[in-house]
Structure formats: structure tokens, C-alpha cells
């Protein structure tokens, strides 16, 4: 009768619930094992990354010393040489060593940025003072490239890590000077409420849509410049910007130049 049917349905439902609970417990057990394996794999990967960073820092320090010594000897040799051909060879060797130093320094910076011990020391940064130092550092490259490098005066003070903010700006400006085929590179600040964009504009060939992410990867160069480079400058810019939580943007149009810009918090007076 109805009572028997109800009892039977209840028993079937109970067995179904027990079976589903068993399935759930097995799934949870499997998930726990998978999470444990993932945790071990993550720890192995992090240890490998730490070992890579330690190796790069140590190797950079050890490699830069003999390169510096080699440059000193080449400089002495250049002063002693009276043969123009020998002077040219010494000049080429010096340029090669400088390129190697630039690459090693860039790798060392990436190792520091990737290290778990990386720490920022944010402080007030005067944009006017930053622009003066950047102009002194980059004016020789602008003169060599025949580019009119201009800094728009700004009285803004931002909150950032002074060392890495200077590195970001220097890499962006140097990149613009190397790759522009125009006559001018403009650097300035654009205020937007409590934020301000540090912008570097060039009159270069622009960047195609499919290349706009690739240029921030290591050792990627799109060509179009006869200047030596490591292909690491923009990678360092992206890493440092992300770690300091300074949004990085690229605005570009093929044939009409590019604008790289970084958003910085304005320090209240």
C-alpha cells in the first residue's frame, strides 16, 4: 500500500544520498591530493626562480668586473695607438664590451625584480628634478640620433620608488630615441585627478596591433633601429610598473608614432 511505497522510496533515497556522499568524499580526497601536488610543484618552481635570481645576481657581479678591467685596458691601448685601423678596432671592441655590460646589467635588474625579496621604498619624487637628471643622462643619445628631446616643465610631486621610477622613465625615453624615425621625442606629465600620467611620445613608425604585447617580452625587438640594444628595456618597464602598481599603457597607431605612459599617484601638498 501507500505506506510501503513511501518507505521503499525513502530507503532508495537514503541509499542514493549515501552513494552521493561517498562520491563527494572521494572527489574531495582526490582534490586534496591534487592540491598537495600543485603546492609541491609551485614550491619547486619558486625555488627554481629564486635559484635563477641568485645565479643572475652573482654572475652579473662577477662578470662586470673583468669587463670593466677590459675597458680600462682598451682605453689605455687607444691612447697609445697611432694607427687609425687599430683605433677603429679598439673602438669596436669597446662598443662590444659596453653592449655586454648593458645586457648583464639588464639581466641583473630583472633578477632583482623577480626576486621574492624585492622591496620598494616609495617616497616623494619631484618630477622637475627627475626630468633634469634624465635630460643630463639622455641628451648625448638624443644628439647622436639627431632627435630633438624635449621635457615639458612640471611642478608635480608623485609617490613612487625613486630608483625604479627613474629606471622606467629612462628605459621608455631611450627606447623612443632609438626607434623613432621622426625629429622629436616629447616627455611630460598629464594630470588626471589624483593621478598623473608620465608620457613619452615619439614620431616613430608606430606599432602594429599584433606586436603591442610582444614588445614587452624579453629579447623582443621589432627592428627599425641601427642602435644596439638588449631587447630587455620594455620588459623591465612592465615588471617594475606592475610591482609598484603603476598602470602602464601604450597608445600607438602605425605611421603616426607611439605614446608610452605610466600612471603615478600625485602626492598631496
Amino acid at each position: 500500500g501507500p505506506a510501503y511505497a513511501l518507505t521503499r522510496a525513502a530507503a532508495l533515497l537514503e541509499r542514493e544520498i549515501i552513494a552521493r556522499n561517498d562520491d563527494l568524499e572521494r572527489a574531495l580526497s582526490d582534490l586534496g591530493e591534487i592540491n598537495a601536488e600543485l603546492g609541491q610543484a609551485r614550491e619547486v618552481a619558486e625555488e627554481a626562480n629564486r635559484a635563477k635570481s641568485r645565479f643572475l645576481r652573482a654572475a652579473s657581479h662577477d662578470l662586470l668586473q673583468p669587463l670593466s678591467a677590459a675597458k680600462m685596458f682598451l682605453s689605455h691601448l687607444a691612447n697609445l695607438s697611432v694607427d687609425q685601423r687599430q683605433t677603429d678596432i679598439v673602438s669596436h671592441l669597446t662598443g662590444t664590451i659596453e653592449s655586454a655590460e648593458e645586457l648583464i646589467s639588464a639581466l641583473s635588474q630583472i633578477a632583482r625584480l623577480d626576486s621574492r625579496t624585492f622591496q620598494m621604498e616609495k617616497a616623494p619624487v619631484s618630477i622637475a628634478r627627475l626630468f633634469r637628471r634624465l635630460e643630463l643622462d639622455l641628451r648625448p643619445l638624443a644628439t647622436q640620433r639627431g632627435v630633438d628631446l624635449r621635457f615639458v616643465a612640471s611642478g608635480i610631486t608623485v609617490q613612487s620608488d625613486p630608483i625604479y621610477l627613474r629606471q622606467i622613465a629612462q628605459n621608455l625615453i631611450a627606447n623612443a630615441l632609438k626607434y623613432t624615425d621622426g625629429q622629436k621625442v616629447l616627455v611630460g606629465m598629464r594630470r588626471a585627478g589624483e593621478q598623473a600620467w608620465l608620457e613619452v611620445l615619439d614620431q616613430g613608425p608606430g606599432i602594429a596591433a599584433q606586436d603591442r604585447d610582444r614588445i614587452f617580452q624579453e629579447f623582443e625587438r621589432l627592428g627599425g633601429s641601427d642602435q644596439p640594444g638588449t631587447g630587455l628595456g620594455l620588459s623591465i618597464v612592465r615588471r617594475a610598473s606592475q610591482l609598484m602598481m603603476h598602470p602602464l599603457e601604450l597608445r600607438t597607431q602605425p605611421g603616426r608614432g607611439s605614446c608610452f605612459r605610466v600612471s603615478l599617484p600625485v602626492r598631496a601638498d
Side-chain angles (χ1 to χ4, degrees):
Y4 173 78
L6 185 60
T7 302
R8 183 175 176 80
L12 292 173
L13 180 60
E14 183 180 4
R15 286 198 293 271
E16 184 68 21
I17 291 174
I18 292 173
R20 293 292 178 267
N21 283 338
D22 291 341
D23 292 340
L24 181 58
E25 289 177 358
R26 284 194 294 271
L28 289 174
S29 178
D30 293 341
L31 182 60
E33 293 178 359
I34 292 172
N35 285 335
E37 293 175 357
L38 288 175
Q40 293 176 357
R42 182 171 59 250
E43 181 60 31
V44 170
E46 289 177 351
E47 178 57 33
N49 188 58
R50 290 193 292 270
K52 178 205 71 174
S53 298
R54 289 194 298 269
F55 170 78
L56 285 175
R57 289 196 298 271
S60 299
H61 179 268
D62 292 341
L63 288 173
L64 284 173
Q65 288 183 340
L67 288 176
S68 298
K71 280 179 61 179
M72 183 179 64
F73 285 124
L74 285 173
S75 176
H76 183 61
L77 182 60
N79 293 332
L80 295 176
S81 177
V82 294
D83 186 343
Q84 183 60 42
R85 184 178 178 184
Q86 290 180 352
T87 302
D88 292 340
I89 293 174
V90 170
S91 177
H92 288 308
L93 287 173
T94 302
T96 301
I97 290 176
E98 289 175 347
S99 296
E101 286 181 325
E102 183 181 352
L103 175 59
I104 292 171
S105 298
L107 289 173
S108 178
Q109 291 173 16
I110 288 178
R112 285 196 297 270
L113 292 172
D114 287 345
S115 173
R116 293 180 63 183
T117 60
F118 170 79
Q119 292 183 346
M120 294 175 295
E121 296 183 3
K122 290 190 175 182
V125 180
S126 166
I127 295 298
R129 186 178 297 112
L130 174 65
F131 280 3
R132 285 196 296 270
R133 295 186 65 182
L134 290 170
E135 184 170 11
L136 287 173
D137 292 341
L138 294 165
R139 180 61 61 190
L141 177 59
T143 302
Q144 177 189 358
R145 296 288 295 163
V147 177
D148 181 11
L149 174 60
R150 296 188 183 182
F151 290 85
V152 179
S154 174
I156 292 176
T157 298
V158 299
Q159 188 76 7
S160 183
D161 184 292
I163 295 175
Y164 284 101
L165 178 58
R166 181 184 177 189
Q167 187 68 59
I168 288 172
Q170 186 166 338
N171 284 354
L172 289 178
I173 298 169
N175 190 74
L177 292 172
K178 289 178 180 179
Y179 286 93
T180 186
D181 54 8
Q183 299 299 315
K184 184 187 301 183
V185 168
L186 184 65
V187 184
M189 299 294 296
R190 188 183 300 273
R191 184 74 181 260
E194 297 181 354
Q195 300 290 116
W197 290 93
L198 190 159
E199 298 185 339
V200 180
L201 301 94
D202 66 62
Q203 297 175 322
I207 302 169
Q210 66 271 18
D211 294 326
R212 293 174 189 174
D213 183 67
R214 185 164 67 89
I215 60 172
F216 291 101
Q217 299 175 10
E218 295 85 351
F219 303 109
E220 288 288 348
R221 300 187 71 199
L222 300 183
S225 175
D226 57 355
Q227 294 295 306
T230 63
L232 292 172
L234 291 181
S235 176
I236 292 173
V237 167
R238 181 164 67 175
R239 277 177 163 85
S241 298
Q242 289 173 344
L243 288 170
M244 293 193 294
M245 292 181 290
H246 295 336
L248 173 66
E249 289 187 0
L250 167 61
R251 296 182 174 183
T252 182
Q253 187 173 347
R256 302 189 62 181
S258 303
C259 172
F260 289 86
R261 63 185 203 152
V262 181
S263 181
L264 307 169
V266 177
R267 182 176 173 84
D269 296 333

